[in-house]
Amino acid sequence: MERAFSAPVEIEPDEVEEVYSRARTEKWEEDWLEVFYPDQVKPKLRALPYLWAVFPKGVYPALSGKAAIKAYEAQVAPGYVVLPDNFKLAVLSNAKPENAQASEYYVFPENMAWIMAFTHEDYYGENAGPYFAKNKDYDKLNQKNRLKVKKKAEVEEAKRQGWL
């Protein structure tokens, strides 16, 4: 059955740089599964009600609750993909999202160095969400993100100074 996608997910702050197509939104989901779902779980995908279900079950290591929020707040990226789990289109944001109009949504940089999963069960208990997980190649990918953020800031400063 083909999924019916509607409008893009709405986020706060509203700094949407790009609204992804249905095909790209589905590709983001496939990419997400490839990175954060271990091979032994992939055959059981349909049994899990939400993508984030791998985290509380301990299948993929993740922080939860306040520790997850703290880890998320410490991250920087040149852009943030917001992938909703409610048949809305994914978006790319210039600013780190603080909220989205979806009961389940995932925030991550384009290189998937890390993921923040916000769930409908957030704050119901220490292991109920939200969840923050790192890619197995986090250190290398996060370094690339930090360099891109630094370069972006340098270009913006050069423009402000009139050098570009």
Side-chain angles (χ1 to χ4, degrees):
M1 181 171 98
E2 188 169 309
R3 299 189 309 178
F5 283 83
S6 59
V9 64
E10 295 177 27
I11 61 171
E12 296 170 10
D14 184 10
E15 302 238 359
V16 173
E17 180 179 322
E18 181 179 353
V19 175
Y20 293 112
S21 67
R22 185 182 123 223
R24 185 59 181 119
T25 296
E26 289 175 337
K27 180 74 168 100
W28 277 123
E29 186 175 299
E30 289 171 20
D31 293 348
W32 193 94
L33 290 169
E34 190 62 36
V35 172
F36 294 102
Y37 266 61
D39 289 336
Q40 73 270 21
V41 175
K42 287 179 183 160
K44 302 173 189 171
L45 280 178
R46 295 291 165 226
L48 298 174
Y50 303 101
L51 295 177
W52 56 263
V54 294
F55 301 134
K57 295 187 183 309
V59 176
Y60 194 97
L63 299 173
S64 64
K66 291 177 184 172
I69 296 283
K70 186 175 179 180
Y72 176 64
E73 289 173 347
Q75 302 307 306
V76 297
Y80 302 88
V81 175
V82 182
L83 177 66
D85 220 359
N86 64 351
F87 303 111
K88 293 206 178 269
L89 297 172
V91 298
L92 178 65
S93 176
N94 290 323
K96 188 185 301 177
E98 298 169 8
N99 193 17
Q101 298 302 313
S103 58
E104 262 73 41
Y105 65 98
Y106 312 91
V107 178
F108 50 88
E110 291 178 284
N111 68 2
M112 295 189 172
W114 50 266
I115 179 81
M116 183 66 174
F118 292 96
T119 79
H120 69 278
E121 295 181 357
D122 288 358
Y123 312 107
Y124 285 124
E126 192 56 34
N127 292 320
Y131 300 99
F132 177 86
K134 293 179 179 178
N135 186 309
K136 63 180 176 55
D137 296 323
Y138 173 81
D139 291 334
K140 178 177 69 174
L141 295 169
N142 197 50
Q143 180 64 23
K144 288 180 180 180
N145 286 339
R146 291 188 175 282
L147 290 172
K148 285 181 180 179
V149 168
K150 182 180 177 188
K151 183 69 170 171
K152 188 176 180 180
E154 289 170 351
V155 168
E156 288 172 7
E157 179 61 22
K159 285 179 181 176
R160 261 195 303 280
Q161 295 293 336
W163 302 332
L164 291 179

